[in-house]
Amino acid sequence: RGVDTNGIEDGPFRFAEIICRDEGGLRYDVPLPWLGGGNDDTNDDNKTNDQVGSGRIGAPLTNMEAEGVTGLHEAMDEIVPHVLEAMWSRDQDDIIDDIALNSDRNSYVAASGYLINKPGSKSQNWHKDGPDAGFIDCFVPLIDLNDELGPTAFLLGDEEDELVPMLNKGNILLFDYRTIHRGQGNTSEDTTRTLAYAVYRRRELDKAKNESGDVHNFPAALTLEYD
């Protein structure tokens, strides 16, 4: 169902249901199927479309869990696509100059789930989530954040210039997934920081010839085999 990337005991690993993000086993990504709107599994010809990723990959859910996740995803989806449409409508990127805009929704979700940061975790290295244009990370904390809980930090210029948004439960944070950032260490005694995430994809860019689609971050196959 997945791969252990380095074979180190208690090291990072990736499966369809859970991904360990550090070598201490204190930071996890729990992928979930996207239960909000905007993800069409077929096109007008009733054939599988070319969307990046899969809204179906993730941990299995009970009916009660699915009901709660659906409510959360629908609440996120009532806000985020409208913000992205307003932002992208002002984008003059040459990559989509030859693609006609239409009245249909211009985004879908390539990946979603929960990020879990347990007490004692270490800060991540500075990183980008990927190299390609057209992906927007959406973070929604499920508890109020403070400095001890390891909120996400963003690098604005050099390592002396950081931005750390201190979000409250239910706030929405959006950022381009090419932005340099890191999850900080959780120094609290007994509080786990959990946030919901979704990676929104600009639908138009799937039609652009020079767009790679980032199959490494968003494998469509349940085997998680990378192209």
Side-chain angles (χ1 to χ4, degrees), residues 37-43 47-51 56 104-105 107-109 203:
N39 283 29
D40 299 321
D41 289 334
T42 58
N43 60 21
K47 297 178 182 178
T48 301
N49 63 22
D50 294 325
Q51 289 185 173
R56 297 181 300 274
D104 295 334
R105 171 172 167 160
S107 65
Y108 64 87
V109 173
R203 190 181 300 275

Side-chain angles (χ1 to χ4, degrees), residues 70-84:
T70 297
L72 174 61
H73 286 177
E74 289 179 346
M76 295 164 65
D77 217 45
E78 286 180 0
I79 298 172
V80 176
H82 301 290
V83 176
L84 298 183

